[in-house]
Amino acid sequence: MVCRFFSVFFMFLVLFFSCSTDSDDEAVEIMEMQLEQKKEKVIEFEILELINTHRVGLGLNTLLTKGLVKSVAHSHTDYMINNNEVSHHNFYTRSDFLKLKIGAVKVSENVARGYRSAQSVVRAWLKSTQHKKNLEGDYTYFDVSAEKNKEGKWFFTNIFIKL
């Protein structure tokens, strides 16, 4: 009897937690609701300039900014601040959104926290193999979000796309 109860209970849990009504359209709508335009900061301009200077030094194209990319980056930076952690959580939602809305064919991102200057965060990204690969990758647009949490610690999201 107890074994049968646990079997039925287990089946209920599997069905309850594995079924989802979320569709890609719903994820896109949720993403759109989270987007907002924030005032650009000097540190953000500096990061973009440092990245483009690095790329030019390697003979690579400079990257242009795009407002929607910045809005998506801001939404993720806010998410990281709210959760007090650096993460790539929901990256595929951001990537799919940019692919659907502006036709991106390739998307990547760098994230960080705690750095106090544009130079220090870009330097850290360049010391990391994967972050450096993103900075030097085959992209056409990028943008960055830098926000401070309540304690004054910076959080960063840098998104790269290719159209």
Side-chain angles (χ1 to χ4, degrees), residues 14-159:
V14 169
L15 291 172
F16 182 76
F17 288 107
S18 67
C19 295
S20 173
T21 59
D22 290 344
S23 68
D24 291 338
D25 291 338
E26 288 177 47
V28 167
E29 288 175 21
I30 291 168
M31 186 77 196
E32 285 177 334
M33 289 187 291
Q34 294 172 347
L35 298 180
E36 63 179 278
Q37 292 290 331
K38 293 189 178 183
K39 186 176 178 185
E40 296 185 34
K41 297 168 195 66
V42 172
I43 194 169
E44 293 169 337
F45 287 115
E46 291 172 345
I47 290 168
L48 299 175
E49 185 177 300
L50 287 167
I51 292 170
N52 268 336
T53 299
H54 175 77
R55 290 176 62 85
V56 167
L58 296 175
L60 300 170
N61 63 300
T62 57
L63 303 176
L64 303 171
T65 59
K66 197 161 224 21
L68 187 59
V69 174
K70 185 167 207 63
S71 294
V72 171
H74 275 305
S75 73
H76 186 60
T77 302
D78 287 344
Y79 172 86
M80 291 190 301
I81 288 172
N82 290 336
N83 290 285
N84 197 34
E85 69 175 328
V86 174
S87 75
H88 292 286
H89 295 169
N90 306 310
F91 169 73
Y92 291 107
T93 301
R94 290 186 295 287
S95 176
D96 290 347
F97 178 81
L98 290 167
K99 289 174 180 176
L100 179 68
K101 289 297 184 180
I102 57 177
V105 294
K106 185 177 174 184
V107 180
S108 69
E109 73 180 11
N110 290 343
V111 295
R113 87 167 156 199
Y115 296 94
R116 295 182 180 174
S117 69
Q119 295 81 4
S120 63
V121 72
V122 171
R123 192 176 316 118
W125 283 334
L126 288 171
K127 288 180 180 178
S128 161
T129 304
Q130 185 58 49
H131 293 106
K132 183 177 180 179
K133 182 179 173 185
N134 292 341
L135 286 171
E136 297 174 355
D138 181 23
Y139 298 101
T140 50
Y141 293 90
F142 72 156
D143 224 314
V144 67
S145 166
E147 296 291 332
K148 286 184 177 180
N149 67 4
K150 292 178 209 165
E151 293 79 36
K153 184 179 283 190
W154 285 104
F155 282 72
F156 305 90
T157 303
N158 186 200
I159 296 179

Side-chain angles (χ1 to χ4, degrees), residues 1-14:
M1 181 72 172
V2 172
C3 188
R4 185 171 183 200
F5 169 77
F6 282 112
S7 296
V8 171
F9 182 72
F10 178 75
M11 287 301 293
F12 168 78
L13 287 177
V14 169

